[in-house]
Structure formats: structure tokens, C-alpha cells
Amino acid sequence: MRISKLAIIAVLLGSVLGIVSAHGQDPAASASVPKLEHFDPSLVDKSLDPCQDFYQYTCSKWNAANPIPADQVAWGTGSGLEYWNENILREALQRAAAQTSNRTDYEQKIGDYWSACMDESGIEAAGTRDLKAGLERIEQMKNKSQLADQVAHLHRAFPGSWEGDNNQTRAALLGFGQQQDFDDATKVVAGIDQGGLGMPNRDFYIKDDAKSKEIRSQYETHVSKMLALSGESTAQAQADGKTILAIETAMAQAQMDNVARRDPKNLNNKMSLTEVQALTPSFDWKHYLEMIEAPPSPPHYLVTSPQFFRNLEPLIQQHPVDDWKVYLRWHLISGSAPYLSKAFVDENWNFYSHTLQGAKEQLPRWRRCVRAADRDLGMALGQAYVAAAFPPASKQRTVAMIHDLEHALDQDITSLDWMQPATKAEAKTKLHAIEDKIGYPDHWRDYSSVKITRSSYLDNVHQATAFEFHRQLDKVGKPVDRAEWGMTPPTINAYYDPQLNTINFPAGILQPPFFDSTMEDAVNYGAIGMIMGHEITHGFDDEGRKFDAQGNLRDWWTPADAKAYEQRGDCIADEYTQEIPEAGVKQNGRLTQGEDTADNGGLRLSFMALTTKLQADSKSPDSQEADGWAPRQKFFLSYAYSWCEQYRPELMRTLVLTNPHSIPKYRVNNVVSNMPEFQEAFSCKKGTPMVRANQCRVW
């Protein structure tokens, strides 16, 4: 659970996620909203052996009773939380839309955004009207020297969806934006990143197995259908589909792979604008920067993948101007498709949600509009969420838990027998410098300059996107804003930022089944406590450990300690490099190493914190309670319960190939099989699957 700041800017396209009021109406009171899940140890399947498969022991009954709904690609114990959150936000949007006078600026924007998005008949009547200007601009392109101008226009409308988990930007041709300097985290510089793909990552273009070939064929068909919807003849659209696939395949072959991108040293390439221009002489960088109104980037630009741009130059030369017009037209249409008429929406859904993720039905329009509003105006809409869902008492209790986890890591560092005193001192300095951001930002974002109307959904998206693009660009050359958040308050997620050295917990995840104010400590430490420990551990995973307390990319490890760390990290990477039969592909443990390290460290730290708290409260972790479970057993059960989730096979395959997180079954079983504390809690014997012979431990 982390977003990366190795990033090129883009509008955050993360979906709006869940909330629940800690007081007031229970969501189960509404028949249209799934109930919130609360930890219930009676759902454990006692006919199974916890030492054989702890995930199935905890989750099999729940999963069997909760099949994936047709309009979902995954379903888990946190999914009802998403629905409840979206209903709260829908109510706020509908109230604002119903007002026609005496509205605040905030009410006007979210109300008119909602009205435009929900106006299906108006969107249908508009057809491709709002695409016309962009398509005409591309058609007027006379030669390849105008490529920079065309890309700049596209980026102002669609700078690209920053795929934090995939460490990838999906902007047309390239990604451009702000980021903290690797060597001086107080500075904000401009970053230039590889991009240009329409599928999730380079593997989808270059893997040679039968399924990958099938998906490429389906993608080519999808591109052709979308171009035909925009007005091309069927024959021309089919030919253009082949052109798009050829160009994007060449870009994919030029890209740095996801594992290499996990090492920040590979991305830390400082260049002057003259040097950037020399990488790709056919792309007019000066004009591009002028068109997007980018400020200068003293003292350098960060180019994450120079080789990509070296390889882009012959690609530009190879293809005639008409091919590039096709490529630009495709990215304009694809980026616009979710906001156009039903035919575009359906075809876009068919490939990206049905083919790649296995969805059987589309989400209802109201849910899509809620998510879009959260994406585009989320720091305005989030104020209504916080007022309804996150009382001060919840914040106080979760802040105290995080402090308990940080104290546990301090103790853990002290006790390590493989780390020398000098490195321990540096590690503790970094730990004590971590800033905890809980719930919501101290200052809300000002959207007053964003023009939102009821007349065009697509124009509203363009306006919000351009606002965010320029808001981000405006940071270049200015001091780092340490108070800024990268997620909106209703989001069910959390992240560690290595260059700010902060952990960030939106109020959306501080709700049941993750944090439940009605539950005992053992339950909360098993669920949200593990996630807190997970994010803290990210500061010391194989990527995070390369940054110091100030967020600078600096090696603060002695050579001996670095070697000892890498040996422990290798154990994790080797354990998680495994076939995933459910997905039909093999997981790369090097891709997931950071998240797997954080899972293992996070659960161990949370167990340490719980043990300390129980001792302080004069409670035994092993005393059987009225429900028949001991506190430490409920700790592990709560952990597994929070990860009960099912995926469509198509989504699972996509995730294993692209996502740095392991799928839930392995996030549970691989972690507990590394923990003697689990084996003691459930009396597991040596030789059982949940007792690994070679138990991995970093933290």
C-alpha cells in the first residue's frame, strides 16, 4: 500500500473508496448498500487445519458466502466499505446539484460536475462534439516537427494516469511533471519519464505466451473499434490498429522494466535541457515546455529512463507523420472514452475492465460519477466525508496505535544481532523523523480557478485535469510542500513516501473492517495495526532503506550491514518467486520484494506492539476469552480476515504481472509461515505448510 514519488505528475486516478460513520446510521439500514463487515471469529472454518492453510481456515466460509458481484472484478471484506463511502459522497453531490441559488463555490463545482456526469441523454446527444477540436488539431499536423506541440496539447488534457503501484505513467509518448530531487529532497525539479503505452505495462507487449498474444490481438481489435467509432472507415481503422500496436510495442521494448525501476539509483539521471534534447533531437523539447507552461527546472531535469528516449528517436524517424497522427488520435480518443457516449464507454469497458480484469457488468453510472468527482475534486468533496465519518476519537486512537508501532520498531532495531551500532543509530534517526499524517490534510485545496459547468462532462474533466497538471508544475523550483497529501480523505489505502519520510493514512481506511472503534485491541492491531507497521517498514524495505531521514538518496549503511540486509531480502524475494496456479503465471519475487518485506515486518511489529500493550493492561496474550479465542489468536485471525478477498482470474493475472503486491492468499500464508509467534498461537508442528523450514525475516 504505497504510492511512489519517483513520479511524473499526473492526475491521481485512484478510485474513491470507502467510509463508514463511527456513529449514527448503520449502513445495513439501507437495502441498497451492502453491510459493513466486522471481524467475526465464528466465521472460521474449524473443520480445516490452520497449520495447513491459514488463509482458507479464516476466509473460506466468508468467500463462499460472498461471491463476486457481476459488476465487480474483486470482492472482499472491505468491499462493503467502498459502497458505503460512495453513498455518503453521492448524497453530498446530489444535495449540491439540487441547489440552484445561494451556492458556495464548493457547492457549485461539485453539484455541476455531478449534474454533467449524470446527464446521460445530454452526453449521448453530444456524441463526439467535444472531441472535434482535438481531432481537427491533430489532422492539421503537417510534419513530425509538430509532434511536440501535439503532445503538449494532449498532456494538458490528459497528462496520464500515474500508476503508482506499477511505477508507470500512461501519458501519450512520455510523462512530464514535478518530483523531489533524489539527492536533495528539499528541492522540486522537473522529471521526464517513459510512457506512451495503452496497455498496463511492457510485458503485455513483449511476452510470448499464448495468453499474451491473445490479449494483444484483442487490444488491436479494441483500438480499431474505437477509431471506427470516431468516424474512421472499418478498413482504415483496422489498418490503424496495427500501426498503434507496432508503435507501442517498440516503445515497450525501449522501456525500463518494473523491477529495474524499483531501484531509485536507476532513475536518478540528471540532465540539462540541452542533454535532454540530444537524447531525442526530433522532439522539440523547448517548444513542448513552452506549450505546457512549465517553469525552468534548476539545476537539472531528472530523466528516469534515458535509454527510452534514445530509442524513441529512431522510432520517430521510422514512422511517417500519418502514423503519428494515428497514434495521437488514438490517445485522445482513448483518454476521452469514459466521458463520451455509451458506445465509447462500452467499448472502453469491454477491453480494460472485461478483457483485462474479468468484469461481467459495468458499475452503475452513479458509482462511476462518484469516483470521477473524487478524482477531480476530491479535496473539496472530502470535507463532507470527514465531517460524516471520522470523529476526533478515531483519530486519537489511531495516532496512539501508530506511536506504539514506531516504538516497536525502535525496540526491534535495538535487538538486531546483524546490524552494527553505526547503522542502528542512522536507522533510529530515520525512524524518529517519520511524520505521521492521519485522516485528512490540515489545509484544504483551493479549486476556485477550476471552471465547472453542467453543459459538458468531458470539458469538466479537461478543466480539472489541466488545473491539477499546472498545480503540480507550479511546484518546480519552489520549496517542497511537506503538508501535501497524495490521496483524498475517503480513500481505502495508505502509503509511505520515501522522499518526505511520511506515512499517510486517509480516513477512508480507518474504518471497519480495518479499524473498528467497537473492537478490542487484538482485533485492531491484527488488521489496521499490520497496515501501519507495513507502511512504517516501507521506510526500511529494499527501496526505502536507500533514503535517509531527510528523504535524500544516500547510502547510510555500512558495507557489512548492507550485505546482511540483502541476504535477508533475498530470502523474501526467493520465497515469493512462485507459480500462482490461480492466475496461470509466475510471480516475480523481485517485483514484490518491497511489499512482501513490509507485510512481514508490519505484522511482526504490530504483534510486538500488541504484546506490549496487553502487558501494560495486565492481560495475557494467551488467556482464553469468552468467545473461546486467546488475544494473540484473534490477532492473527483478524489479520487474515481483513485480507479475505476474491479476484476474477483475468484481474489476478494482470495483477501478478504488473503489481508489486502479492495476492491476498500469499499475503497471509507466506507471512504467518515465517512467524514462530503464529505457530505457537495455533500449536503448529514442524513440517506443516504454515511452518517454513527456512523462515525469512528482515525486520
Side-chain angles (χ1 to χ4, degrees):
M1 288 186 172
R2 175 174 54 171
I3 61 172
S4 173
K5 285 259 325 214
L6 307 178
I8 304 309
I9 99 177
V11 175
L12 292 172
L13 294 182
S15 52
V16 59
L17 299 172
I19 65 172
V20 55
S21 177
H23 46 71
Q25 180 186 7
D26 187 280
S30 171
S32 63
V33 183
K35 67 182 179 67
L36 283 175
E37 296 293 337
H38 297 265
F39 172 70
D40 182 359
S42 70
L43 292 176
V44 166
D45 188 346
K46 291 187 177 181
S47 70
L48 301 177
D49 183 351
C51 304
Q52 291 293 318
D53 187 333
F54 189 60
Y55 177 81
Q56 289 298 325
Y57 177 74
T58 309
C59 295
S60 59
K61 279 189 174 182
W62 191 94
N63 284 342
N66 294 274
I68 304 173
D71 64 354
Q72 301 290 314
V73 295
W75 195 254
T77 48
S79 298
L81 183 54
E82 293 185 76
Y83 267 34
W84 175 238
N85 172 70
E86 290 169 359
N87 273 274
I88 293 288
L89 296 183
R90 175 170 65 168
E91 291 175 5
L93 289 160
Q94 287 176 329
R95 283 195 302 269
Q99 295 176 262
T100 57
S101 61
N102 300 319
R103 296 186 296 175
T104 65
D105 181 68
Y106 152 76
E107 290 168 336
Q108 179 270 318
K109 285 179 169 46
I110 66 170
D112 287 358
Y113 189 101
W114 174 259
S115 295
C117 182
M118 292 296 291
D119 182 13
E120 291 185 85
S121 61
I123 292 170
E124 203 66 30
T128 58
R129 178 196 66 197
D130 298 329
L131 273 182
K132 186 176 180 181
L135 292 172
E136 288 180 349
R137 183 183 299 111
I138 293 169
E139 187 57 34
Q140 291 167 5
M141 180 178 173
K142 302 301 182 185
N143 53 64
K144 286 181 281 188
S145 66
Q146 297 173 304
L147 185 59
D149 182 81
Q150 296 289 345
V151 171
H153 278 287
L154 272 182
H155 283 187
R156 281 158 50 167
F158 303 108
S161 55
W162 171 245
E163 304 289 343
D165 279 343
N166 299 341
N167 214 14
Q168 192 83 355
T169 183
R170 287 184 56 200
L173 199 71
L174 57 95
F176 185 90
Q178 64 80 27
Q179 67 180 89
Q180 286 174 259
D181 191 71
F182 283 119
D183 298 318
D184 184 352
T186 66
K187 294 179 179 178
V188 179
V189 297
I192 302 171
D193 194 20
Q194 63 190 28
L197 308 184
M199 288 195 284
N201 74 2
R202 69 192 298 270
D203 285 353
F204 281 76
Y205 294 86
I206 63 178
K207 288 180 74 70
D208 203 37
D209 60 281
K211 186 63 178 178
S212 296
K213 291 179 180 178
E214 178 187 356
I215 289 175
R216 283 196 290 274
S217 177
Q218 292 170 312
Y219 178 63
E220 183 182 317
T221 299
H222 163 66
V223 173
S224 299
K225 287 182 177 179
M226 293 287 272
L227 293 173
L229 287 173
S230 73
E232 290 190 12
S233 68
T234 300
Q236 186 62 52
Q238 289 174 347
D240 288 346
K242 295 183 184 300
T243 298
I244 296 301
L245 184 59
I247 290 175
E248 291 186 357
T249 299
M251 289 183 182
Q253 291 167 340
Q255 287 192 355
M256 185 186 299
D257 68 71
N258 281 357
V259 174
R261 285 173 68 84
R262 292 197 66 257
D263 187 342
K265 293 180 181 178
N266 292 336
L267 308 179
N268 189 20
N269 306 294
K270 301 179 177 66
M271 293 187 171
S272 67
L273 185 56
T274 300
E275 291 172 320
V276 172
Q277 185 63 67
L279 291 175
T280 312
S282 296
F283 188 84
D284 189 342
W285 283 99
K286 182 178 179 182
H287 183 67
Y288 170 81
L289 296 173
E290 290 172 350
M291 288 298 297
I292 64 171
E293 300 177 358
S297 180
H300 51 251
Y301 292 81
L302 280 177
V303 183
T304 58
S305 181
Q307 191 58 45
F308 172 80
F309 290 97
R310 292 188 186 98
N311 292 340
L312 185 60
E313 174 62 22
L315 185 63
I316 294 174
Q317 294 294 336
Q318 173 189 344
H319 287 271
V321 65
D322 285 346
D323 284 1
W324 288 110
K325 288 163 70 171
V326 169
Y327 174 82
L328 295 165
R329 189 159 60 246
W330 156 241
H331 277 270
L332 173 62
I333 295 165
S334 182
S336 304
Y339 322 111
L340 295 174
S341 60
K342 186 176 185 299
F344 284 94
V345 171
D346 288 352
E347 179 54 38
N348 186 72
W349 172 87
N350 183 60
F351 181 74
Y352 289 106
S353 296
H354 175 63
T355 299
L356 292 186
Q357 300 183 40
K360 306 303 181 186
E361 295 178 5
Q362 291 190 53
L363 288 173
R365 186 166 191 90
W366 75 263
R367 293 193 70 186
R368 287 179 270 149
C369 288
V370 165
R371 293 181 177 198
D374 178 73
R375 178 197 67 209
D376 287 344
L377 300 170
M379 288 301 181
L381 189 56
Q383 297 175 59
Y385 159 70
V386 169
F390 196 58
S394 291
K395 184 166 184 173
Q396 293 166 6
R397 188 171 174 187
T398 52
V399 167
M401 288 182 68
I402 286 177
H403 291 165
D404 288 348
L405 270 290
E406 290 170 340
H407 179 66
L409 181 54
D410 185 284
Q411 292 179 308
D412 186 47
I413 292 169
T414 298
S415 68
L416 294 176
D417 60 5
W418 57 269
M419 186 181 284
Q420 298 176 53
T423 310
K424 286 185 178 182
E426 289 270 13
K428 289 195 174 190
T429 297
K430 179 172 183 176
L431 170 63
H432 297 155
I434 291 177
E435 181 181 351
D436 305 326
K437 296 180 182 178
I438 309 300
Y440 49 89
D442 294 332
H443 304 285
W444 297 102
R445 190 167 300 159
D446 178 8
Y447 291 98
S448 59
S449 64
V450 185
K451 183 181 178 182
I452 301 294
T453 71
R454 297 191 179 208
S455 60
S456 173
Y457 180 29
L458 181 61
D459 281 352
N460 286 344
V461 172
H462 285 173
Q463 287 288 329
T465 301
F467 163 79
E468 180 64 10
F469 186 52
H470 288 106
R471 189 185 74 83
Q472 294 283 353
L473 286 181
D474 192 52
K475 299 175 184 179
V476 175
K478 295 180 179 178
V480 171
D481 180 4
R482 294 189 56 82
E484 185 170 10
W485 280 63
M487 290 178 176
T488 61
T491 305
I492 302 178
N493 211 333
Y495 67 99
Y496 171 77
D497 188 317
Q499 291 185 273
L500 288 176
N501 197 23
T502 63
I503 54 174
N504 305 259
F505 280 81
I509 200 172
L510 301 175
Q511 315 289 347
F514 305 105
F515 170 73
D516 191 336
S517 61
T518 68
M519 289 287 177
E520 62 197 272
D521 286 331
V523 172
N524 280 317
Y525 278 79
I528 195 65
M530 175 273 173
I531 297 172
M532 292 172 176
H534 172 108
E535 301 307 338
I536 294 168
T537 304
H538 268 315
F540 305 89
D541 69 13
D542 63 305
E543 182 180 353
R545 77 172 188 86
K546 295 173 182 176
F547 294 88
D548 64 16
Q550 288 72 45
N552 299 316
L553 185 59
R554 179 177 70 85
D555 188 358
W556 45 269
W557 294 71
T558 66
D561 289 345
K563 182 178 180 181
Y565 183 99
E566 289 168 0
Q567 290 172 342
R568 285 159 175 75
D570 287 344
C571 183
I572 294 284
D574 291 343
E575 176 184 352
Y576 285 82
T577 298
Q578 57 190 332
E579 296 291 340
I580 309 296
E582 307 94 314
V585 288
K586 187 174 184 178
Q587 177 170 300
N588 184 344
R590 293 293 173 186
L591 175 61
T592 62
Q593 183 179 345
E595 299 297 337
D596 298 332
T597 299
D599 281 350
N600 280 268
L603 192 64
R604 186 173 286 107
L605 291 177
S606 192
F607 186 84
M608 291 173 61
L610 173 65
T611 301
T612 299
K613 194 168 194 314
L614 290 173
Q615 290 172 346
D617 294 340
S618 301
K619 296 180 181 178
S620 168
D622 296 311
S623 58
Q624 192 175 71
E625 298 180 345
D627 57 10
W629 301 98
R632 68 172 174 176
Q633 289 177 319
K634 282 194 279 192
F635 169 87
F636 288 110
L637 289 170
S638 175
Y639 165 60
Y641 181 81
S642 68
W643 289 108
C644 294
E645 187 169 17
Q646 302 171 82
Y647 292 148
R648 303 258 184 224
E650 298 89 341
L651 173 64
M652 192 180 300
R653 181 183 187 278
T654 298
L655 291 176
V656 173
L657 290 176
T658 64
N659 197 283
H661 300 84
S662 296
I663 62 174
K665 174 182 176 180
Y666 301 100
R667 295 191 79 162
V668 173
N669 285 349
N670 285 17
V671 173
V672 300
S673 66
N674 283 323
M675 291 187 66
E677 299 88 344
F678 167 80
Q679 287 117 43
E680 292 170 4
F682 287 91
S683 302
C684 297
K685 297 179 180 179
K686 286 184 178 181
T688 56
M690 296 297 98
V691 183
R692 277 177 51 84
N694 178 30
Q695 293 187 333
C696 301
R697 175 175 180 177
V698 181
W699 301 104

